[in-house]
């Protein structure tokens, strides 16, 4: 009888987890990118700035690259795009450099949890994702769909 109760409790536990999975699946690509960049930063796998990103792309270490759409220097933009294309690295365009800087950890976090003193970042490259998270799965699925549409 005790075994049957254990089974029922386990089944009840599974039912409780199912709604949580449904909520997580609705994660947007931007939220997934934020989380992936944060995890990469924690694990030391994020290269921030044009110099570090270009080095990572050139040495074929980068697995993912982000570039700000408002990059002031067109030569930087062309360089990063060319290195990504040459190395077969996925490139994600971010609206502003301030946004990318905040996501890459180039800011101070105040007591309220808000970012302040955000430094612009034109490019960031991920060389190590860190842990396998749902956000990484969402982002990789998005990138896979993007490559499928381009071909």
């Amino acid at each position: 009888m005790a075994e049957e109760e254990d089974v029922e409790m386990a089944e009840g536990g599974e039912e409780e987890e199912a709604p949580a999975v449904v909520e997580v699946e609705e994660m947007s690509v931007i939220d997934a990118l934020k989380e992936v960049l944060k995890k990469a930063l924690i694990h030391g796998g994020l290269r921030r700035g044009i110099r570090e990103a270009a080095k990572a792309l050139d040495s074929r270490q980068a697995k993912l690259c982000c570039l700000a759409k408002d990059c002031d220097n067109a030569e930087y933009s062309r360089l990063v795009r060319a290195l990504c294309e040459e190395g077969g690295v996925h490139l994600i365009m971010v609206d502003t450099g301030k946004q990318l800087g905040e996501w890459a950890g180039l800011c101070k976090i105040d007591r309220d949890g808000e970012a302040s003193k955000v430094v612009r970042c034109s490019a960031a490259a991920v060389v190590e994702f860190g842990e396998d998270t749902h956000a990484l799965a969402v982002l990789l699925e998005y990138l896979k769909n993007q490559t499928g549409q381009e071909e």
Side-chain angles (χ1 to χ4, degrees), residues 52-65 79-81 83-84 86-87 89-91 123 125 127:
E52 289 182 18
K55 281 183 182 179
L57 287 165
D58 195 31
S59 64
R60 310 261 192 224
Q61 293 177 337
K63 298 176 182 173
L64 173 71
C65 187
L79 172 69
V80 171
R81 287 173 194 261
L83 287 172
C84 285
E86 182 181 312
V89 177
H90 293 291
L91 179 66
V127 295

Side-chain angles (χ1 to χ4, degrees), residues 120-144:
R120 282 188 71 228
C121 180
S122 294
V126 177
V127 295
E128 181 187 334
F129 290 116
E131 6 180 303
D132 267 350
T133 60
H134 180 68
L136 179 59
V138 168
L139 190 62
L140 291 177
E141 184 66 29
Y142 168 76
L143 292 172
K144 189 173 85 173

